[in-house]
Amino acid sequence: MSKQQIVRRHTPRSIAALDAPIVMLTAYTAPMARLLDPHCDMLLVGDSLGMVVYGMDSTLAVSLDMMVAHGQAVVRGSQKACVVVDLPFGSYQESPQQAFRSAAEIMARTGAGGVKLEGGQEMAETIQFLVERGIPVMGHIGLKPQAVHAHGGFRTVGRGDEAEQVLRDALAVEQAGAFSVVIESTLEPLSRAITEKLSIPTIGIGASPACDGQVLVVDDMLGITATPPRFVKTFASLGADIEQAAAEYAQAVRTRAFPTAKECVGMPTEQAADKP
Ligand code: KIV
């Protein structure tokens, strides 16, 4: 009898109880989720997929159906990580009821462990509404990419008077019942101060090493994104590797070095001898 290994998937509850720094990366496809899953506590199906996968110039045009399709792929490709799926722009800001319908659709159709939504004080009522109805919510404060036009671009948030507001946002998100909060692109001392004040885990991106965890967009850290934000550290050079592989493939096709008899079925021996 074969022994089946039972892998227990992280839940928002087990994530909140983790002592060690929390490891989160974005994932958008099943094969990538399979590769990242053994190393990550959480996989985020971020609406950054609009820019990373679909080449959009912001996340604003990402739809609920896109999030569901990619959420399903990432859940299928992973076993251990807690999968969190972003609520896309326009699917939750109107009312807590609209947010519940969107979040429930994501949870039911993907099997994700929770949803993430952008916003602080102004979203507190919505977060509470979802949490009270059984939907684990991760907050997202600091730079909110869905508000890129209101922010005046993708920039560092928290200078001057803004710092007080970001802190109020963090406290409101915690108070509303979020199990964790992403802090994006803020001044380091502000993210550090928020992390000290909150009891839920903070996940930083362009934030602070003091955060309880870190997240990066996977294509950025793999070196695929042409011009990643300055807070990204690249851990591989896959962009260059892919270009090199494509160049070698093109050369092999153009010189008829590929395919060879090895890659063909029933190739006559005299032709196999002719061809490399
Ligand atoms: O959409 C996303 O990938 C995100 C991360 C940048 C945190 O929200």
Side-chain angles (χ1 to χ4, degrees):
M1 201 172 70
S2 73
K3 262 202 207 148
Q4 242 196 325
Q5 228 193 329
I6 313 257
V7 182
R8 289 192 71 169
R9 199 185 271 280
H10 265 302
T11 64
R13 221 185 153 88
S14 66
I15 292 293
L18 277 180
D19 234 359
I22 297 163
V23 180
M24 181 158 96
L25 281 171
T26 67
Y28 314 112
T29 65
M32 187 60 82
R34 185 175 51 75
L35 294 171
L36 304 180
D37 185 59
H39 310 285
C40 290
D41 303 309
M42 281 198 280
L43 293 174
L44 171 66
V45 187
D47 62 351
S48 53
L49 65 83
M51 301 171 78
V52 175
V53 179
Y54 292 93
M56 298 169 175
D57 58 9
S58 78
T59 58
L60 299 184
V62 173
S63 68
L64 197 62
D65 280 343
M66 288 161 78
M67 297 311 301
V68 167
H70 288 275
Q72 288 171 337
V74 170
V75 170
R76 272 184 221 120
S78 60
Q79 287 184 280
K80 169 183 96 50
C82 174
V83 177
V84 172
V85 179
D86 263 346
L87 285 173
F89 179 65
S91 74
Y92 64 97
Q93 290 92 344
E94 201 176 307
S95 65
Q97 288 77 7
Q98 185 211 20
F100 181 79
R101 279 193 298 278
S102 302
E105 184 166 346
I106 286 181
M107 300 292 287
R109 291 178 63 198
T110 66
V115 297
K116 175 165 81 60
L117 60 81
E118 295 180 13
Q121 271 187 314
E122 78 286 9
M123 279 297 144
E125 187 193 344
T126 295
I127 294 173
Q128 187 173 345
F129 192 86
L130 298 185
V131 172
E132 284 172 351
R133 284 156 183 78
I135 299 182
V137 177
M138 173 179 274
H140 185 148
I141 58 168
L143 175 70
K144 294 165 281 183
Q146 293 175 13
V148 60
H149 298 304
H151 282 306
F154 294 101
R155 63 169 177 86
T156 303
V157 169
R159 293 196 163 88
D161 291 349
E162 259 182 3
E164 270 302 312
Q165 185 56 51
V166 180
L167 182 55
R168 280 196 292 272
D169 286 341
L171 294 169
V173 164
E174 171 170 80
Q175 177 74 24
F179 74 89
S180 170
V181 61
V182 166
I183 310 177
E184 178 164 356
S185 202
T186 53
L187 296 180
E188 195 278 335
L190 175 60
S191 304
R192 187 177 287 273
I194 291 171
T195 301
E196 277 162 14
K197 282 210 157 50
L198 295 194
S199 52
I200 56 171
T202 59
I203 313 289
I205 173 163
S208 167
C211 288
D212 300 297
Q214 301 292 330
V215 59
L216 282 176
V217 167
V218 69
D219 289 51
D220 292 350
M221 61 80 82
L222 292 178
I224 297 173
T225 308
T227 46
R230 71 169 285 274
F231 55 71
V232 169
K233 176 175 163 69
T234 50
F235 290 81
S237 310
L238 292 201
D241 288 352
I242 291 169
E243 281 194 339
Q244 176 67 22
E248 286 176 21
Y249 169 72
Q251 166 79 357
V253 170
R254 291 189 179 117
T255 59
R256 298 191 187 281
F258 172 82
T260 66
K262 208 162 70 154
E263 288 95 22
C264 295
V265 178
M267 190 165 164
T269 31
E270 61 285 7
Q271 280 173 22
D274 284 352
K275 300 262 178 210

